[in-house]
Amino acid sequence: MSQQVITPELCEWISEQSRAGHPADSILAAMLGSGWNDTIARQALARVLGPSAAPTSSPGSAPGTTAGLPEPDLSRFAPVIDAGDRQVQVVMALRQPRVVVFGNLLSDEECDGITALAGRRLARSETVATGSEGSEVNAARTSDGMFFERGETDLIRRIESRIATLLRWPLDHGEGLQVLRYRPGAEYQPHYDYFEPAHASTPGILKRGGQRVATLVMYLNTPVAGGSTIFPDIGLDVAPVKGNAVFFSYDRPHPSTQTLHGGSPVLDGEKWVATKWLRQGVFT
């Protein structure tokens, strides 16, 4: 199976199946039945049909989940996307893995408003516990953070609505906005945002909306130096620029998504970010 590669012939066959009206789930099932590796088959589907069309789960998924993946409308290759109440720039886009850098997603006033609201409620950031249920302080994450309830204020509601429009994903499929502050030297070492299936906490977490399928990191200020968002698997660094954001999606909880990412150390000044995680289903 390790010798399987995505060839032009395979891509053309997938295109033919799609043009014939076969849904992505049926094409995936046919490929698996022919002996294709599941990971490679899904990567091929995402490459040909686009990340939003590729199947995100196997048959028998829990009811209430949304098919496909969050995905901005890049079909026209337009440099600006209408996000409802704001025109958002497309700075950069990768297809596989799906990574999009947005410009001007938030105004300076919105960035300042979020940091002012969050600043009073910051505490040492935690991560999902690896050996038990709940969360824990982790040396890999040296930031302070807090969570807003979904729709907690008018400002938060406006931004959440904008995100839902931009990424074409139901508003109620999003977790509450998390705000993090990184002081000089603080970092978040490379990690994945999906919930590890083997962790003790995961079964309980998944009851509240299923797996995470995408992440949007919004920069609330511009550090003097350092603090880029790094993607080691693909050699990408995204500069933290106030009002900009980086979006990436992942169709399964597996390293094959190439969504390993982290926050490099802040070298001078502080870095503030607001993160929105999107789930398969309604987040409660």
Side-chain angles (χ1 to χ4, degrees):
M1 291 298 181
S2 61
Q3 300 302 312
Q4 292 183 344
V5 295
I6 301 173
T7 64
E9 291 78 16
L10 174 62
C11 292
E12 178 57 30
W13 178 82
I14 293 173
S15 294
E16 291 175 353
Q17 299 304 305
S18 180
R19 289 194 296 268
H22 298 294
D25 287 333
S26 297
I27 300 174
L28 174 62
M31 293 178 70
L32 298 181
S34 299
W36 279 93
N37 175 273
D38 183 79
T39 297
I40 296 175
R42 290 174 183 270
Q43 290 176 345
L45 285 167
R47 180 179 301 182
V48 176
L49 304 179
S52 62
T56 61
S57 56
S58 302
S61 297
T65 57
T66 299
L69 290 172
E71 172 74 357
D73 184 5
L74 303 181
S75 61
R76 298 176 59 245
F77 301 100
V80 175
I81 298 179
D82 185 359
D85 67 338
R86 191 170 181 82
Q87 299 294 300
V88 177
Q89 301 164 355
V90 179
V91 177
M92 185 216 73
L94 290 178
R95 292 179 181 270
Q96 187 61 35
R98 171 53 95 198
V99 180
V100 182
V101 177
F102 295 113
N104 199 38
L105 176 59
L106 302 177
S107 69
D108 284 353
E109 293 75 20
E110 288 170 333
C111 292
D112 295 343
I114 295 173
T115 55
L117 289 171
R120 315 182 195 105
R121 294 158 56 181
L122 294 176
R124 176 66 188 271
S125 300
E126 298 184 346
T127 61
V128 174
T130 56
S132 61
E133 294 188 2
S135 59
E136 61 188 7
V137 171
N138 191 318
R141 190 180 200 182
T142 53
S143 61
D144 300 311
M146 57 79 65
F147 276 94
F148 287 105
E149 293 292 330
R150 196 171 59 218
E152 183 173 326
T153 71
D154 289 341
L155 173 60
I156 299 302
R157 279 195 296 274
R158 181 170 73 246
I159 293 171
E160 289 174 332
S161 178
R162 185 182 306 157
I163 293 170
T165 300
L166 176 67
L167 302 180
R168 300 186 295 177
W169 202 247
L171 192 151
D172 61 7
H173 285 36
E175 297 182 25
L177 207 63
Q178 184 192 47
V179 175
L180 296 176
R181 178 185 62 190
Y182 293 85
R183 297 177 184 273
E187 64 179 320
Y188 195 178
Q189 295 176 9
H191 60 283
Y192 298 98
D193 278 354
Y194 55 72
F195 300 112
E196 289 285 354
H199 283 181
S201 297
T202 297
I205 292 172
L206 297 185
K207 292 178 182 178
R208 300 185 61 195
Q211 265 291 358
R212 287 175 175 167
V213 291
T215 301
L216 180 72
V217 179
M218 296 167 281
Y219 304 110
L220 304 179
N221 78 317
T222 303
V224 177
S228 62
T229 302
I230 59 173
F231 293 83
D233 287 348
I234 58 176
L236 175 66
D237 288 15
V238 178
V241 177
K242 186 175 183 177
N244 286 8
V246 59
F247 162 78
F248 53 98
S249 60
Y250 28 97
D251 66 352
R252 60 209 313 243
H254 194 274
S256 63
T257 59
Q258 296 181 291
T259 55
L260 185 70
H261 66 286
S264 62
V266 175
L267 303 179
D268 190 359
E270 293 185 339
K271 180 178 78 170
W272 288 75
V273 300
T275 301
K276 186 72 170 180
W277 287 292
L278 305 179
R279 297 286 194 102
Q280 287 176 307
V282 176
F283 178 72
T284 57

